[in-house]
Amino acid sequence: MDCQYHIYIERTDVSKNMARFYALEISNSLFGETCLTRRWGRIGSRGQSKTHHFAVEADAVELFLKLTRQKRQRGYRARAV
């Protein structure tokens, strides 16, 4: 699998000086595990990241969808071009 799932979303609010991003990506590790990598932080910064390892790709996809739903409920949206 070559990174079939990825998303980059942002949440901005000028009145609160808020400019955040959240990115999710599913890929394979060098050892054949499926990895879900989460990155988040202030837009323009490197931010933080966390990687989850899964034996089964379906588990990674399930967490990917769950996190995406949570962030959309909090107001994160795709960046306007």
Side-chain angles (χ1 to χ4, degrees):
M1 176 180 75
D2 290 327
C3 186
Q4 295 177 355
Y5 303 94
H6 64 286
I7 189 170
Y8 177 88
I9 50 181
E10 295 180 347
R11 181 177 177 196
T12 57
D13 186 343
V14 177
S15 66
K16 296 180 183 178
N17 192 26
M18 180 190 307
R20 300 177 183 164
F21 74 89
Y22 198 84
L24 294 166
E25 177 179 86
I26 296 178
S27 60
N28 283 338
S29 72
L30 293 173
F31 305 106
E33 293 178 311
T34 302
C35 299
L36 170 64
T37 303
R38 303 162 39 174
R39 291 188 316 108
W40 67 92
R42 186 161 179 83
I43 295 172
S45 72
R46 178 179 291 199
Q48 301 178 46
S49 67
K50 183 172 185 172
T51 302
H52 304 268
H53 300 273
F54 298 91
V56 179
E57 181 181 344
D59 294 339
V61 172
E62 183 178 331
L63 181 58
F64 179 95
L65 294 173
K66 176 184 173 186
L67 292 169
T68 300
R69 276 192 299 273
Q70 287 177 351
K71 294 301 173 184
R72 293 229 184 244
Q73 289 173 349
R74 294 193 61 136
Y76 283 81
R77 300 288 177 249
R79 178 176 31 183
V81 178

